Amino acid sequence: MQDDPLAPLLDLADVRPAFDAARAAIDAAMRHRALRRSGGPVAAEVALRSSVASAALDTHGFDLEGVRAGVVTDPVVHGALRATAALDGLTGTWSKAPRQALARLHTLIARDVVPESSLGRPVKPEAATRLDALSALVTGGTKVPVLVLAAVVHGELLALKSFDGPNGVVARAAARLTLIGGGLDPRGLLAMDVGHRSREPEYVGAANAFATGTPDGLRSWLRHYATAAERAAEELVEICDSGAYVQ
């Protein structure tokens, strides 16, 4: 593709090697023998951990076992769980009509958090141009690796704060949707948000740096994202090794 708008990101210092290392870690984790017979239960465990971590990044920490047992009633947690459950069914919409998919994600996530009239509606009209540009990337406007595209989707939606309420949960769900729909993680096995949560100060700082739009800011965010992806791969291996997915 000529003039790929995201291609220059891979030329930033240390970015390409960081993403190559992350991809290698992901590929190795996806070959774990437990996934041949227990992929479904592992994916369910990853979904739970990702949802809890994503909600925690927008509000405060939650007890994983409490969420598992159904005793945590926080609406952001339940919104994150609803969104995660819907990701697979949204892949087709995401690849063709990303703004429609974002509206659906916000409706799922922010229900019981914001007024019903705000659900699925961007609250910043001035963000429309950037949302359209992001949509163009998602629908085929770039050929960079899907992990890089997911990083840009995530960082841009955090920066725009387009929706009322838990924008961060929407951004993280959209990034996971990018990985699932883009074929890197078709079964939803990467707990990316666990990776972000495990490095929360760095996550916040790098996201703020991305919002500046400077080369150093973009590099900071991309390097963080690659590191979070490696941590997600480690989490997958740990789940598979421990049998923690067994009900």
Side-chain angles (χ1 to χ4, degrees):
M1 173 179 293
Q2 289 184 332
D3 300 323
D4 188 322
L6 299 188
L9 296 177
L10 290 168
D11 294 326
L12 295 172
D14 302 323
V15 167
R16 191 184 298 271
F19 276 89
D20 287 345
R23 180 59 192 263
I26 291 167
D27 289 346
M30 294 290 186
R31 292 193 293 269
H32 197 288
R33 62 185 181 280
L35 296 176
R36 293 196 292 269
R37 60 181 184 277
S38 302
V42 171
E45 179 66 22
V46 167
L48 175 66
R49 296 188 186 194
S50 292
S51 300
V52 172
S54 183
L57 284 165
D58 251 43
T59 51
H60 54 80
F62 301 98
D63 177 62
L64 179 65
E65 296 310 314
V67 176
R68 192 192 306 277
V71 299
V72 174
T73 60
D74 185 275
V76 178
V77 172
H78 286 274
L81 289 166
R82 286 192 296 268
T84 297
L87 292 180
D88 188 58
L90 284 172
T91 55
T93 305
W94 182 241
S95 66
K96 297 175 183 177
R99 292 191 63 168
Q100 182 180 335
L102 286 173
R104 179 58 179 159
L105 286 174
H106 183 252
T107 299
L108 290 168
I109 290 164
R111 194 175 81 200
D112 305 322
V113 179
V114 304
E116 186 173 349
S117 60
S118 297
L119 294 175
R121 301 176 182 273
V123 294
K124 290 185 175 181
E126 66 272 18
T129 299
R130 285 175 65 176
L131 282 173
D132 287 342
L134 185 63
S135 295
L137 292 173
V138 171
T139 55
T142 181
K143 294 298 182 183
V144 297
V146 66
L147 192 61
V148 177
L149 177 58
V152 171
V153 166
H154 190 154
E156 185 72 353
L157 290 174
L158 286 179
L160 288 177
K161 296 181 175 64
S162 298
F163 295 96
D164 193 12
N167 270 281
V169 182
V170 175
R172 289 182 286 276
R176 295 202 308 277
L177 184 54
T178 304
L179 296 176
I180 293 169
L184 179 63
D185 183 24
R187 292 191 286 174
L189 295 170
L190 285 177
M192 285 295 300
D193 300 332
V194 172
H196 298 310
R197 172 72 168 156
S198 72
R199 305 175 70 89
E200 186 169 359
E202 178 185 281
Y203 172 76
V204 173
N208 289 335
F210 177 93
T212 68
T214 64
D216 283 345
L218 297 174
R219 175 178 175 272
S220 175
W221 172 251
L222 292 168
R223 283 175 55 81
H224 161 78
Y225 209 85
T227 301
E230 288 197 64
R231 177 67 192 92
E234 291 171 0
E235 184 80 359
L236 175 57
V237 172
E238 290 168 10
I239 291 170
C240 290
D241 285 345
S242 67
Y245 53 88
V246 178
Q247 302 300 314

